[in-house]
Amino acid sequence: MEVNELHRGRLIDHLQLVVRDLPASRAFYGAILPLLGVPIGGEGDDYFWADELFVSTADSQAAQGHLTGRHHLAFQAKDRAAVDAFHKTALANGGTDNGGPGERPYHPGYYAAFVLDPDGNNIEAVFHGEAQRSAPSVKVTF
């Protein structure tokens, strides 16, 4: 029997993006997500997933023939170096600059970078500054 793990305790349970060009999206997300500590969890002919993110073609059963449109997704980064690496790697893998790494006025220590993915989604990596977490997530095994 296969064992699955979920990590809970964050706001989003899962999010689906339905994209025009799955190979381009797979290359883009496959390059940036491991830099943020999120490996690709699985994939098939018409989808791939990583933690709470599910990306599919419009032909996949879950998409019902419709693209999702433009979204803004912000991924947590462990430090400023991860934000910098995210931006550089995203640009080298099909992303378009939408705001280079730097401090933002949202709160003290907010350091982020923004790129547009191959479908025009605004993808952000953010480091909120030095903080102490009680736990990285809640682990659910089934």
Side-chain angles (χ1 to χ4, degrees):
M1 176 180 222
E2 182 180 350
V3 174
N4 293 292
E5 287 184 3
L6 301 175
H7 294 260
R8 297 294 183 246
R10 298 168 286 206
L11 176 63
I12 302 298
D13 182 80
H14 66 277
L15 175 77
Q16 180 178 4
L17 294 179
V18 182
V19 300
R20 290 183 306 269
D21 185 343
L22 188 68
S25 290
R26 175 62 176 85
F28 176 82
Y29 288 100
I32 65 166
L33 288 174
L35 295 171
L36 303 170
V38 181
I40 298 297
E43 59 189 302
D45 291 340
D46 59 0
Y47 72 91
F48 67 90
W49 63 271
D51 203 354
E52 293 98 347
L53 179 63
F54 184 82
V55 180
S56 73
T57 65
D59 295 332
S60 71
Q61 184 177 3
Q64 300 179 352
H66 300 284
L67 298 175
T68 49
R70 186 173 178 191
H71 293 286
H72 174 180
L73 302 178
F75 295 108
Q76 295 178 21
K78 66 179 180 175
D79 54 29
R80 287 178 174 226
V83 171
D84 295 345
F86 155 83
H87 189 258
K88 180 180 179 182
T89 301
L91 296 180
N93 287 276
T96 303
D97 182 40
N98 200 31
E103 290 271 345
R104 299 300 195 268
Y106 310 130
H107 68 68
Y110 195 109
Y111 186 85
F114 300 83
V115 296
L116 300 179
D117 77 2
D119 277 81
N121 293 297
N122 185 26
I123 308 301
E124 174 184 1
V126 57
F127 174 61
H128 286 282
E130 295 301 322
Q132 183 176 358
R133 290 177 179 258
S134 60
S137 64
V138 176
K139 182 176 169 183
V140 180
T141 303
F142 58 95

